[in-house]
Amino acid sequence: MGIDDLPLEILIHIFVLLRDAQTDMYTYFDPWIVVTHVCQSWRSIALDTAELWTKIHSTNENAVSAFVRRSKQALLEINYTRNFHTVSGPLIKPICHVLLPQSHRIHSITLSVDAESYPFLQHLLNNGAPLLSSLRLAFYTGPGSVE
């Protein structure tokens, strides 16, 4: 039996496990995305599997847009903690216009932010996030301090 003989559900499950197993979440791109470059079949499967694109942590506006589009209408998990390095206003501002219209499908948010990022939180709370079930915040108030 070759890999091409695997049932689609098993291959998708392997892709999801690979996504969830990555150790360095904060690279420019997600290392698991290499599966989209193995062959046309894998690329098509990965691009069509909304579940693979639901965990957003990139501060690259183009990457965030691609994840939002490919996740279709699945619930989103937003994670900007960077191991307690703050995600400042200048980093989060460009992606706000991509994420805020999706507030109706944001399921969880984990943020380590500074004062410049407060407008994002305010906009999110004003727009509403009816499916939000987890909100974790760490506020950076200066060098060496996270509250």
Side-chain angles (χ1 to χ4, degrees):
M1 174 185 242
I3 193 137
D4 291 334
D5 299 321
L6 284 176
L8 181 62
E9 298 80 21
I10 291 178
L11 191 57
I12 289 171
H13 185 70
I14 291 169
F15 290 172
V16 170
L17 289 173
L18 182 59
R19 179 205 61 192
D20 292 345
Q22 67 187 47
T23 57
D24 184 8
M25 287 181 45
Y26 305 105
T27 57
Y28 179 73
F29 69 97
D30 290 279
W32 69 266
I33 290 178
V34 299
V35 302
T36 67
H37 299 281
V38 171
C39 64
Q40 186 58 42
S41 174
W42 284 21
R43 179 173 183 76
S44 179
I45 292 166
L47 293 178
D48 289 340
T49 303
E51 181 184 4
L52 289 173
W53 307 96
T54 58
K55 295 186 177 186
I56 299 174
H57 55 81
S58 174
T59 54
N60 177 281
E61 184 177 357
N62 293 331
V64 172
S65 293
F67 271 65
V68 166
R69 185 176 61 257
R70 293 172 183 165
S71 66
K72 301 173 184 166
Q73 290 302 310
L75 296 180
L76 300 173
E77 295 179 35
I78 312 301
N79 186 338
Y80 292 109
T81 56
R82 297 209 179 224
N83 299 326
F84 292 107
H85 291 113
T86 187
V87 177
S88 66
L91 279 177
I92 207 163
K93 187 175 181 179
I95 59 171
C96 282
H97 76 277
V98 176
L99 291 176
L100 288 176
Q102 304 303 319
S103 63
H104 64 281
R105 62 189 187 108
I106 295 176
H107 175 65
S108 73
I109 300 174
T110 304
L111 294 173
S112 175
V113 296
D114 65 4
E116 292 182 64
S117 298
Y118 293 168
F120 169 75
L121 296 173
Q122 185 176 16
H123 279 62
L124 179 67
L125 295 174
N126 288 342
N127 285 343
L131 300 177
L132 185 65
S133 65
S134 174
L135 176 63
R136 290 181 226 139
L137 300 174
F139 292 100
Y140 177 81
T141 57
S145 68
V146 175
E147 297 177 13

